[in-house]
Amino acid sequence: MAFLSIKPQPPNRLTEEDLVKKCKQGNGKAQEQLYKCYADRLYRLACRYIRSDADAEDVLMTAFTKIFRGLDNFTYQGAGSTEGWMHRIVVNESLMWLRRRHNFNLTESLDASIPEPDLHAFSEQEAEDVYQLITQLPTGYRTVFNLFVVEGYNHAEIAAMLEITESTSRSQLFKAKALLKKMLTQEGYHYGT
Amino acid sequence: MERNTEKNIRLKVQEAEQYPVRWNKDELWARMEIHRTATRSKRPVYFSIAATLTVAVLAGVYIYQQTSYTQGKAIPSGGINSAQPAIVNSPLSESKDIPAKIETVTPGNAITQNSARIRIEEEPYSSAAALQATFRDTATVANQETTTSVTIPESPQQQVVTDVDKRPKVIIGIIPPQEQPLVTQQEKNKKFRFLKGKSTNGESEGSQLIIARMN
């Protein structure tokens, strides 16, 4: 994955609502425009859950197929609602892909007396560094961390989504934070000092 | 404190995801287009296959019904029977049409009392008759050299069971009476004697068991 130095493209001439309307009417050009407008962000979102670029592309392709099929049931509710709806579809599709290939239950229990690692220094890093460090976490840690910290789900919801127990979810999150702290230290950021 | 940290991380991640990235964006769209086009193009094929199958099934049902109707209705009552008269299980009033080779042996009542005498007459099947039968009903008789017909009496009503195969034919016919009056044992004994040779008017009162066998 190579990053460009250019800034994000400006919004298209069509408004988000008009674009959705045309896509609902089956306009191929509008669908292509919708894809090109949101594909980059959704691709990076998929890559945050799925480490392999090729697998992320497959997941994104499946997600966009569902997006175009489900547009008839989508109701536009203001600016950003379309992206939020597409975001959820990509996350769900990524979780489905992961559930088929990864057993999230393979995590030993934690000692509850151990304090949870502080990620303050981690949150002060550059955005791209934060993103890259998250993608380097193991699958189980990365998934729970993404769902809890970035997406904002609680442990009960994560347990239901990944078909695990809440204690497993907590354990995965704890280990993810501990590993991020360790990675920051190894990278020379002197985390915790 | 913890909330702020998580919020900062969330914002950082969202910011990072806004950055443009070089990846196979156009290739992925091309793959999606191919997939969607293939899915769309399959629909008419599915519809045409479904329509063809439906038409074929309907045509088959129609032909089957027509064939069944023809088999049930179009064979004339005199078709096979005219070629082989012994099959005819005629009512009593038509008993005079029975060929001479079929012999009336005993009335129907006597059969139920286990006192009937059945006489089986065997005659070689005449080639001339077979040829004549072939001309009459080629479609039916052409593939059959012999025919076996059996009539089993179970009640005064007529019942005919016909079995056709290639074995030498055995033809059994029962001609029941139109109506069977209740008779006493004494009357039965009289009838038995009557059928043994004391009849003078030539008409029987009971059922007639007819058995004929042809090669």
Side-chain angles (χ1 to χ4, degrees):
Chain A
M1 192 160 44
F3 295 96
L4 301 176
S5 58
I6 60 174
K7 290 184 177 181
Q9 292 179 352
N12 294 286
R13 289 165 293 178
L14 282 174
T15 64
E16 186 181 336
E17 187 173 10
D18 292 338
L19 197 59
V20 171
K21 278 184 182 176
K22 286 185 178 296
C23 288
K24 282 186 177 182
Q25 293 167 358
N27 189 323
K29 291 289 182 186
Q31 290 181 350
E32 185 176 2
Q33 193 172 346
L34 185 76
Y35 168 81
K36 289 186 175 177
C37 184
Y38 293 103
D40 289 341
R41 278 172 261 177
L42 295 176
Y43 174 71
R44 294 212 78 190
L45 167 63
C47 287
R48 185 155 50 85
Y49 284 88
I50 298 164
R51 196 173 285 166
S52 164
D53 292 352
D55 291 337
E57 286 179 8
D58 289 342
V59 166
L60 193 62
M61 181 177 161
T62 309
F64 262 105
T65 305
K66 290 186 176 179
I67 286 168
F68 290 136
R69 282 183 190 164
L71 268 174
D72 290 336
N73 300 323
F74 170 69
T75 305
Y76 182 77
Q77 294 174 338
S81 62
T82 309
E83 186 178 0
W85 175 67
M86 296 165 75
H87 184 102
R88 284 195 298 275
I89 290 177
V90 173
V91 169
N92 287 336
E93 199 60 36
S94 301
L95 293 178
M96 284 177 63
W97 190 93
L98 287 168
R99 276 200 300 265
R100 285 195 295 266
R101 290 163 179 81
H102 185 79
N103 186 358
F104 289 97
N105 285 307
L106 295 178
T107 302
E108 62 274 19
S109 58
L110 277 175
D111 186 356
S113 61
I114 301 174
E116 201 164 280
D118 183 17
L119 290 182
H120 177 71
F122 175 76
S123 66
E124 296 298 320
Q125 303 300 317
E126 292 292 324
E128 187 58 36
D129 294 333
V130 169
Y131 179 92
Q132 292 297 331
L133 285 170
I134 291 172
T135 59
Q136 291 173 25
L137 289 170
T139 301
Y141 301 175
R142 186 176 70 247
T143 306
V144 173
F145 184 87
N146 278 326
L147 290 172
F148 187 89
V149 177
V150 183
E151 313 295 347
Y153 292 106
N154 59 39
H155 285 296
E157 291 169 330
I158 293 169
M161 293 165 81
L162 300 181
E163 299 172 355
I164 57 176
T165 61
E166 288 187 40
S167 61
T168 302
S169 177
R170 286 193 180 88
S171 172
Q172 298 268 22
L173 180 64
F174 182 94
K175 292 185 176 182
K177 288 180 176 179
L179 189 57
L180 282 172
K181 179 181 174 182
K182 184 178 177 183
M183 288 162 67
L184 275 178
T185 307
Q186 290 175 346
E187 291 286 335
Y189 294 109
H190 306 294
Y191 179 78
T193 59
Chain B
M1 187 67 179
E2 186 71 18
R3 293 285 179 189
N4 288 334
T5 303
E6 291 178 357
K7 187 179 178 181
N8 281 340
I9 294 171
R10 187 179 304 135
L11 290 174
K12 290 282 175 65
V13 169
Q14 289 175 355
E15 181 186 344
E17 288 179 353
Q18 299 289 330
Y19 295 159
V21 59
R22 184 177 292 162
W23 61 292
N24 301 321
K25 187 176 177 179
D26 294 333
E27 286 83 352
L28 187 63
W29 175 253
R31 280 171 59 195
M32 288 172 60
E33 278 290 286
I34 291 170
H35 183 259
R36 291 165 63 197
T37 306
T39 306
R40 276 200 301 266
S41 64
K42 282 179 184 174
R43 288 175 187 162
V45 176
Y46 292 149
F47 285 137
S48 64
I49 290 172
T52 305
L53 287 174
T54 305
V55 169
V57 169
L58 289 175
V61 170
Y62 177 76
I63 291 170
Y64 175 75
Q65 288 183 341
Q66 290 296 314
T67 307
S68 300
Y69 181 79
T70 301
Q71 289 176 347
K73 296 286 185 181
I75 296 177
S77 59
I80 298 174
N81 295 337
S82 61
Q84 300 176 18
I87 295 173
V88 176
N89 192 2
S90 307
L92 189 60
S93 61
E94 298 176 2
S95 61
K96 58 185 178 183
D97 297 332
I98 298 173
K101 63 184 179 183
I102 300 173
E103 184 177 350
T104 300
V105 178
T106 184
N109 272 355
I111 294 173
T112 60
Q113 294 174 11
N114 199 18
S115 60
R117 293 183 178 179
I118 301 172
R119 184 176 299 169
I120 300 174
E121 181 181 1
E122 291 189 21
E123 287 185 1
Y125 192 71
S126 170
S127 58
L131 183 62
Q132 187 179 3
T134 303
F135 281 121
R136 284 180 196 162
D137 195 349
T138 306
T140 306
V141 182
N143 295 328
Q144 300 175 6
E145 292 183 5
T146 58
T147 302
T148 300
S149 300
V150 178
T151 303
I152 300 171
E154 291 184 355
S155 68
Q157 301 293 328
Q158 291 184 1
Q159 182 177 359
V160 178
V161 177
T162 302
D163 180 20
V164 178
D165 59 21
K166 295 181 179 179
R167 291 177 295 181
K169 65 178 65 175
V170 174
I171 302 170
I172 301 172
I174 291 297
I175 304 173
Q178 292 295 333
E179 290 191 1
Q180 285 289 345
L182 294 172
V183 294
T184 63
Q185 185 64 34
Q186 189 177 3
E187 289 174 334
K188 288 179 183 174
N189 293 336
K190 285 179 182 177
K191 287 177 186 172
F192 185 69
R193 286 196 299 276
F194 166 76
L195 289 169
K196 275 188 173 179
K198 294 180 181 179
S199 174
T200 54
N201 58 5
E203 293 182 2
S204 62
E205 296 176 7
S207 299
Q208 292 176 325
L209 175 61
I210 304 163
I211 300 176
R213 182 172 179 184
M214 288 176 284
N215 293 326

